[in-house]
Amino acid sequence: MTPPRTPQIPVVVLAGFLGSGKTTLLNHLLRNRAGTRIGVIVNDFGAIEIDAMTVSGQVGSTVSLGNGCLCCAVDASELDTFLETLTRPSARLDVIVIEASGLAEPQELVRMLLASDNPHILYGGLVEVVDAAEFGRTRQRHPEIDRHLAVADLVVLNKTDRVGEAERERLRAAVAELSGPAAVISAVHGRIDPELFFDPALRPDHEDKVRQLTFEDLLREEAPPDGHEGHDDHLHASYESVDFTSDIPMDPRRFMEFLDSRPDGLYRIKGFADFGAGDRDNTYALHAVGRFLRFVPRPWARGEQRLTQLVMIGAGIDAEALSAGLAACRADGAERADAADFERAMWGLLRYVPEQAPEPEVFDAHETADSREAAAEA
């Protein structure tokens, strides 16, 4: 008997030193979630959970961990307990954000997530928030910030309104050098496009027959700070989104070479890939964040058009070069005819398929492309 499908919820780690603006950024996401249900684990340091009180009531499910850092747990079992609470079907969450303590070791939180046995979660990336105005002094007091930046998938250079243009560019270059391939985006008051964290929910809140007034409702008419014209005021300007569609199957060997050498600043890749003769029965859902990569096969639906459809999101990326790189991964006619070689080439890709992948959802051939793209995270 085929086991029931296990939906997986992306878990994003939001880190940064004290005062960098993590809670401000989180509150911005909660205010502008557009129907997306966000679960929050607030990892405060100390007995008085200030951050937990700040976000209390703004989200459907909130868990607070006081009196110490979550990353100090001996193993992942404690984290799994809280994640199990938030991943219950009754919570109907779309994404979970762990706001790490300012004194936490973010790489340990990532390690615990990747080692977790919870089948309901999917690693959603490590986001490191940096205070632009205090970056130099923070590095002097906490040299470990270099190590934190080195493992980040996305860096938010926050409070850039407090430094001049020349200093901002110098800081951006310094942070980019420390963070390596991570995307680096600038922000003021933590205002970034929520789509960097999660896809808009396909199920809006108004489908609930009865629900409590949310924080998003309360702030809908509130004027934004500092005279800005709204929460989406040029938020997209700090990153790019590149779409790619092909009705020619991808060569698995060249496609993996493309993914292994993906450029700095490319933060997320999501979508579906068709490998033709490599696996005629399945399309492959692709989920990549930073250096993390995973494929999940699912059967083609009857009558479904066999396409590769990918969306790439990043900062400072060359959209034309990315599109050209993917186009070069398409198999020519001779390659497609050699089914045995295609099957052999699939072995390099299959190492990124989880051993017990959740049974994928079968899509109707008439569903929209947006629906299929959003489901790549599932």
Side-chain angles (χ1 to χ4, degrees):
M1 179 180 294
T2 303
R5 179 179 182 271
T6 304
Q8 292 187 293
I9 302 172
V11 181
V12 178
V13 177
L14 180 61
F17 280 95
L18 298 168
S20 61
K22 298 187 302 298
T23 300
T24 301
L25 190 155
L26 176 59
N27 285 333
H28 166 76
L29 295 177
L30 296 174
R31 284 195 298 265
N32 302 291
R33 58 195 177 84
T36 301
R37 291 180 65 87
I38 307 173
V40 180
I41 296 178
V42 179
N43 171 213
D44 279 335
F45 188 86
I48 301 176
E49 299 172 351
I50 302 298
D51 288 349
M53 290 189 288
T54 303
V55 301
S56 178
Q58 300 178 25
V59 68
S61 300
T62 302
V63 176
S64 300
L65 310 179
N67 300 311
C69 291
L70 179 61
C71 65
C72 295
V74 176
D75 54 38
S77 60
E78 183 180 5
L79 177 59
D80 277 338
T81 299
F82 294 105
L83 290 174
E84 190 62 36
T85 299
L86 293 177
T87 54
R88 290 171 181 165
S90 58
R92 299 170 60 227
L93 296 181
D94 301 300
V95 64
I96 295 171
V97 178
I98 300 177
E99 184 190 358
S101 160
L103 302 178
E105 286 289 343
Q107 63 267 37
E108 290 304 308
L109 291 172
V110 172
R111 178 189 62 80
M112 288 192 287
L113 286 174
L114 294 177
S116 173
D117 293 327
N118 188 325
H120 305 108
I121 65 169
L122 177 69
Y123 177 58
L126 168 62
V127 179
E128 183 78 16
V129 184
V130 173
D131 183 340
E134 297 292 331
F135 180 65
R137 287 181 286 271
T138 300
R139 287 188 74 192
Q140 290 179 350
R141 295 193 304 271
H142 302 286
E144 60 270 28
I145 192 174
D146 292 8
R147 184 173 67 250
H148 297 180
L149 288 168
V151 297
D153 299 303
L154 172 67
V155 179
V156 177
L157 186 61
N158 196 27
K159 305 183 184 181
T160 54
D161 58 320
R162 297 179 56 192
V163 298
E165 183 175 353
E167 176 65 5
R168 183 163 59 246
E169 291 304 313
R170 188 193 68 80
L171 287 169
R172 185 182 179 85
V175 169
E177 182 178 359
L178 292 169
S179 59
V184 181
I185 63 172
S186 300
V188 176
H189 299 296
R191 291 194 293 269
I192 66 172
D193 195 320
E195 289 193 41
L196 283 167
F197 274 62
F198 48 77
D199 298 323
L202 298 179
R203 169 201 31 76
D205 273 356
H206 62 68
E207 288 186 5
D208 296 336
K209 293 182 179 179
V210 179
R211 66 179 178 88
Q212 293 180 335
L213 188 68
T214 67
F215 192 68
E216 184 181 28
D217 297 325
L218 296 174
L219 293 184
R220 188 162 289 145
E221 302 301 325
E222 181 181 284
D226 297 338
H228 285 262
E229 293 299 322
H231 71 268
D232 58 349
D233 180 30
H234 304 296
L235 294 179
H236 63 281
S238 58
Y239 74 95
E240 289 184 86
S241 177
V242 181
D243 297 338
F244 176 83
T245 301
S246 173
D247 58 0
I248 299 174
M250 308 296 281
D251 178 280
R253 188 175 291 111
R254 289 206 294 269
F255 189 58
M256 286 307 305
E257 290 174 354
F258 171 85
L259 293 175
D260 288 340
S261 61
R262 54 193 185 271
D264 294 355
L266 184 55
Y267 172 51
R268 293 177 67 197
I269 308 176
K270 56 184 179 177
F272 291 83
D274 172 24
F275 296 107
D279 187 345
R280 295 191 185 279
D281 296 328
N282 295 293
T283 181
Y284 282 75
L286 166 61
H287 170 73
V289 55
R291 298 291 105 180
F292 177 81
L293 175 64
R294 198 181 74 159
F295 289 95
V296 178
R298 73 158 176 85
W300 289 103
R302 180 176 298 178
E304 180 180 0
Q305 186 178 6
R306 301 199 171 203
L307 297 173
T308 293
Q309 293 180 297
L310 300 172
V311 178
M312 296 165 285
I313 301 173
I317 56 177
D318 186 333
E320 291 186 4
L322 284 174
S323 296
L326 281 173
C329 295
R330 294 179 296 191
D332 61 30
E335 291 169 329
R336 295 198 299 275
D338 191 348
D341 183 64
F342 251 49
E343 291 178 0
R344 286 192 297 271
M346 288 292 290
W347 283 106
L349 180 151
L350 292 175
R351 70 182 187 270
Y352 294 103
V353 174
E355 293 182 4
Q356 295 182 334
E359 182 189 355
E361 194 168 346
V362 177
F363 295 90
D364 186 276
H366 300 292
E367 275 191 319
T368 64
D370 288 342
S371 298
R372 295 183 67 238
E373 289 168 2
E377 299 276 0

